Amino acid sequence: MTTPVNPVLREMRWWDIDPVLELEKDLFPEDAWSRGMFWSELAHSRGPEATRRYVVAEEGERIVGYAGLASAGELADIQTIAVARDHWGTGLGSVLLTELLRAATAFECAEVMLECRIDNIRAQKLYERFGFEAIGFRRGYYQPGNVDALVMRLTTASDSGSAAVSTSERGTEING
């Protein structure tokens, strides 16, 4: 395990799209998001009617991770979490996930859903540590590789009234 990082998290803005796309293409070569997909998501991330929260993690001038969440009513969906390969195992994935769960709480979401590649065991373990449970599959979800997705859900703890889960564990991050 490498040394834990203390990334600077901030809101993703339009000028971050190019460096985020570079990271996206490195991590997800078969099914990378397009520039238009990021523009569309960011268009819904500001103002009083915002339904999205996208953040980047910076180390110096370099973006080393990013994450995004969409909300609709009481349901939030984790759209993406990515961490640069040289930052795997540092806890940055946990930091990004924690920020998305804070956003879900701010959006007053009772449930948080996500899809995770069935072959991404590291990501699944991260989500399980945060309390996500597997609830099903989506066959052939990741294209063009025709890889199945594991659908996972985190339900708000009835006594806390928030989807944010605190954890002192750090380590495994998601890259797919």
Side-chain angles (χ1 to χ4, degrees), residues 8-130:
V8 175
L9 294 186
R10 64 169 175 78
E11 177 185 11
M12 185 187 293
R13 300 298 305 274
W14 66 265
W15 52 82
D16 297 316
I17 292 176
D18 283 343
V20 163
L21 279 173
E22 288 179 31
L23 194 51
E24 177 84 2
K25 288 173 185 171
D26 176 54
L27 296 171
F28 314 111
E30 287 189 354
D31 54 0
W33 281 23
S34 68
R35 181 182 315 280
M37 290 170 77
F38 280 107
W39 273 104
S40 178
E41 289 297 296
L42 293 182
H44 298 284
S45 68
R46 304 199 85 204
E49 303 297 319
T51 58
R52 307 288 195 275
R53 172 76 171 143
Y54 278 78
V55 296
V56 293
E58 285 185 316
E59 182 178 80
E61 296 294 312
R62 180 177 167 228
I63 292 177
V64 296
Y66 57 92
L69 174 126
S71 69
E74 292 189 359
L75 179 64
D77 190 73
I78 293 178
Q79 302 291 299
T80 187
I81 296 180
V83 173
R85 293 178 193 277
D86 62 340
H87 282 68
W88 288 4
T90 64
L92 182 52
S94 292
V95 170
L96 290 165
L97 181 53
T98 298
E99 177 58 29
L100 294 184
L101 294 177
R102 282 190 193 118
T105 298
F107 284 128
E108 299 180 351
C109 296
E111 287 185 327
V112 180
M113 305 284 293
L114 61 88
E115 291 86 17
C116 176
R117 285 179 65 106
I118 197 72
D119 57 359
N120 192 341
I121 304 304
R122 289 168 40 136
Q124 292 169 35
K125 287 182 179 181
L126 168 67
Y127 292 132
E128 288 168 358
R129 278 203 334 266
F130 276 75

